[in-house]
Amino acid sequence: MDISRQQRAPICEALETFKKKRVVPFDVPGHKRGRGNPELVKLLGAQCVGLDVNSMKPLDNLSNPVSVIAEAEELMAEAFGAAHAFLMVGGTTASVQAMVLSVCKAGDKIILPRNVHKSVINALILCGAIPVYVKPEIHPVIGVALGMEIEAVKETIDSNPDAVAVLVNNPTYYGICSDLKSITDYAHEKGLKVLVDEAHGTQLYFGANLPMAGMRAGADMAAISMHKSGGSLTQSSILLTGKNMNVGHVRQMIGLTQTTSANYLLLSSLDLSRRNLALRGMESFAKVVTMSEYARAEINSIGGYYAYGKELIDGKNVFDFDVTKLCVYTKDIGLTGIEIYDLLRDEYDIQIEFGDIGNIMAYISIGDRLQDIERLVGALEDIKRLYAKEKSGLAFVDAVIPKVVSSPQYSFYAEKESVPIKESYGRVAGESVMAYPPGIPILAPGELITKDIVDHILYAKEKGCSLQGTADPEVKMLEVLID
């Protein structure tokens, strides 16, 4: 990586030049640098609103970049060790969907773990590809799905010689990593493309002694949420490609779902964040690791909580672990993760990333401070003292692996009827149900509805999880295929 080149921020430089010219706007957006919406200026500031501009020649165009955006993409690719990088303003949802659309068409098989983000399932709905799931092992204590064991992946590839791609989470929401290099090597040997969902993996490209990143493993594409741990604005993302991908084809696929009105606040945040990580990423993520490991040790010293880490590594189902992920198993104090999530926010003014049935996750990144870690640890200790209950009353329904009956696309568009959720046993789902975050579907279109799955949904609803994906916002009814 050329550090002298990485000091550039071409999009930001172009915006600074544009700002000095005092151009009279007869284009969109209609707020005209904020003059038409003073309340917006009061909320966000004149500097921010004044840079909310439209694509124009001096600022390039994200749909077909030829100048400053093209240069920013080149710098991004260099910083991440990719052959090419696309700047994305539709979140990593758009990046993941572009990955799948770039390699799969209707009827193609794609091998993937069941604990994928909803964006993957939605991409299958869009393109008509058929999922072939590698059934994950479930950790016997924390109850979360583990990684893709290499032998299971090899067996699935060999059993599906017509598959075109493998998709891998790296890492999962819970920090768990598969043997990405071995999976990539075997998939390539068999002629499959390798797609990596690295929504939570920016740090893998810049931190020392962290799990292997997708581009280093030789993957063909990787989708990265720069806004999660990389410091850019929410909804900004990047899509990386390896040397064997057709850049023009990928850009066409991106164009199917991404806006033609790119937000320059998001683009400039990607530009500046890339520069920051290229120049200071190693140092920044070393601090993140230190804070995460400190928090893990302090939380475990409280008793009752289990902040898990590298001790999960077994070389197979947990090939590696991302220690920047601070995930804590909570059931031993008789509280679900979502209950602790709510208590932290409502009683302690602490907003963590998510709480699910059995775990919480506090996202630690380059913007955190040690005093904030101390406050979190103190609040968890207080919650245990004030709210702990007998754990025997908690259901253990964290991992239910559904049976796929028909393709997500067919099931999503098929003729359906709405039935009470408790009367849906034995039917085929025509919609998704997921707790968000993390956005991993409990049930996806085309999957068989069982009592275990319904119990999981109802328990998550009872405990206060935010359920999404259903036509019925109260999740009392489910849409199922008409027999």
Side-chain angles (χ1 to χ4, degrees):
M1 181 167 57
D2 185 342
I3 294 298
S4 62
R5 264 174 45 86
Q6 289 294 324
Q7 295 181 40
R8 293 283 316 281
I11 296 174
C12 301
E13 292 161 13
L15 283 171
E16 288 288 352
T17 301
F18 167 79
K19 188 170 61 173
K20 293 173 183 176
K21 289 187 174 181
R22 302 173 64 87
V23 174
V24 178
F26 283 104
D27 61 352
V28 297
H31 60 67
K32 304 291 182 174
R33 316 290 189 266
R35 291 194 300 270
N37 194 340
E39 291 89 353
L40 186 63
V41 175
K42 183 178 179 181
L43 177 66
L44 300 180
Q47 173 85 345
C48 177
V49 179
L51 291 178
D52 180 32
V53 295
N54 191 29
S55 296
M56 58 189 76
K57 281 189 176 181
L59 298 180
D60 210 353
N61 190 300
L62 185 60
S63 298
N64 183 32
V66 295
S67 59
V68 294
I69 294 177
E71 185 180 355
E73 288 184 341
E74 291 174 10
L75 290 169
M76 188 74 75
E78 180 185 318
F80 280 81
H84 191 81
F86 298 89
L87 306 187
M88 305 291 290
V89 294
T92 306
T93 288
S95 299
V96 167
Q97 290 176 349
M99 280 201 308
V100 176
L101 294 174
S102 294
V103 301
C104 294
K105 61 183 185 299
D108 284 345
K109 289 182 181 178
I110 179 171
I111 296 167
L112 66 167
R114 177 56 181 75
N115 58 323
V116 291
H117 187 262
K118 68 174 184 176
S119 58
V120 178
I121 303 296
N122 290 342
L124 302 183
I125 292 171
L126 290 174
C127 72
I130 310 298
V132 179
Y133 293 120
V134 177
K135 185 176 180 180
E137 293 294 324
I138 307 301
H139 194 277
V141 176
I142 59 178
V144 302
L146 303 178
M148 297 170 76
E149 200 270 318
I150 180 60
E151 293 305 320
V153 175
K154 287 181 177 180
E155 181 180 338
T156 306
I157 290 175
D158 293 344
S159 301
N160 295 273
D162 52 343
V164 300
V166 178
L167 186 143
V168 186
N169 296 321
N170 190 55
T172 70
Y173 225 126
Y174 303 91
I176 294 165
C177 296
S178 304
D179 185 354
L180 184 58
K181 183 69 168 64
S182 295
I183 291 172
T184 299
D185 289 347
Y186 193 77
H188 284 169
E189 181 184 324
K190 297 296 183 177
L192 283 72
K193 296 293 187 186
V194 177
L195 315 179
V196 185
D197 183 347
E198 288 185 315
H200 299 274
T202 306
Q203 64 282 355
L204 305 187
Y205 288 85
F206 300 97
N209 302 315
L210 292 176
M212 180 174 286
M215 288 295 104
R216 292 197 190 107
D220 297 288
M221 304 182 79
I224 296 176
S225 286
M226 278 285 276
H227 71 92
K228 287 185 169 69
S229 57
S232 62
L233 291 178
T234 296
Q235 200 177 304
S236 58
S237 174
I238 58 173
L239 177 59
L240 306 176
T241 62
K243 61 184 179 180
N244 293 321
M245 293 301 301
N246 182 322
V247 172
H249 174 69
V250 175
R251 199 177 293 282
Q252 287 179 321
M253 295 302 107
I254 291 171
L256 294 178
T257 58
Q258 180 156 264
T259 180
T260 55
S261 301
N263 186 305
Y264 277 85
L265 299 175
L266 300 182
L267 292 176
S268 58
S269 80
L270 285 170
D271 205 18
L272 288 174
S273 297
R274 180 269 314 154
R275 183 173 71 180
N276 182 49
L277 294 180
L279 301 181
R280 294 173 284 275
M282 288 289 287
E283 175 187 351
S284 297
F285 285 117
K287 291 179 181 178
V288 172
V289 169
T290 299
M291 285 190 292
S292 300
E293 292 286 42
Y294 172 75
R296 192 170 284 113
E298 290 294 299
I299 291 169
N300 284 333
S301 71
I302 296 170
Y305 296 106
Y306 175 32
Y308 36 95
K310 279 184 169 287
E311 73 281 355
L312 295 184
I313 295 174
D314 61 9
K316 294 175 59 180
N317 295 304
V318 185
F319 184 79
D320 208 345
F321 187 84
D322 175 13
V323 295
T324 70
K325 297 289 180 292
L326 183 60
C327 294
V328 184
Y329 178 70
T330 67
K331 281 188 173 180
D332 282 347
I333 66 167
L335 297 174
T336 64
I338 190 63
E339 288 172 320
I340 293 179
Y341 172 98
D342 288 340
L343 284 168
L344 284 169
R345 183 193 61 244
D346 297 341
E347 302 297 329
Y348 298 90
D349 292 330
I350 294 174
Q351 181 63 58
I352 59 172
E353 173 67 10
F354 81 87
D356 61 17
I357 299 296
N359 300 268
I360 59 171
M361 184 223 230
Y363 216 102
I364 299 181
S365 71
I366 59 177
D368 282 298
R369 304 171 301 173
L370 190 57
Q371 57 261 46
D372 298 327
I373 302 291
E374 296 282 10
R375 184 172 168 186
L376 173 64
V377 172
L380 290 175
E381 189 170 19
D382 211 36
I383 286 171
K384 180 192 173 185
R385 180 176 58 84
L386 295 174
Y387 299 100
K389 299 182 291 190
E390 284 294 323
K391 66 177 181 178
S392 57
L394 290 182
F396 191 89
V397 292
D398 294 62
V400 180
I401 308 299
K403 178 182 178 182
V404 178
V405 176
S406 57
S407 78
Q409 186 183 65
Y410 171 81
S411 304
F412 185 80
Y413 289 110
E415 190 174 356
K416 293 172 283 194
E417 63 179 339
S418 186
V419 301
I421 189 169
K422 291 185 178 179
E423 297 176 16
S424 65
Y425 307 150
R427 304 294 293 272
V428 177
E431 61 183 357
S432 293
V433 185
M434 68 205 75
Y436 194 89
I440 299 168
I442 301 170
L443 184 68
E447 294 176 346
L448 185 67
I449 303 170
T450 64
K451 185 177 185 303
D452 283 346
I453 291 170
V454 170
D455 287 347
H456 189 168
I457 294 169
L458 293 176
Y459 187 72
K461 181 181 175 183
E462 174 195 336
K463 292 299 181 181
C465 291
S466 174
L467 296 179
Q468 298 183 8
T470 54
D472 174 17
E474 297 183 1
V475 200
K476 293 180 179 178
M477 310 289 285
L478 283 182
E479 291 201 340
V480 299
L481 272 61
I482 294 177
D483 294 333

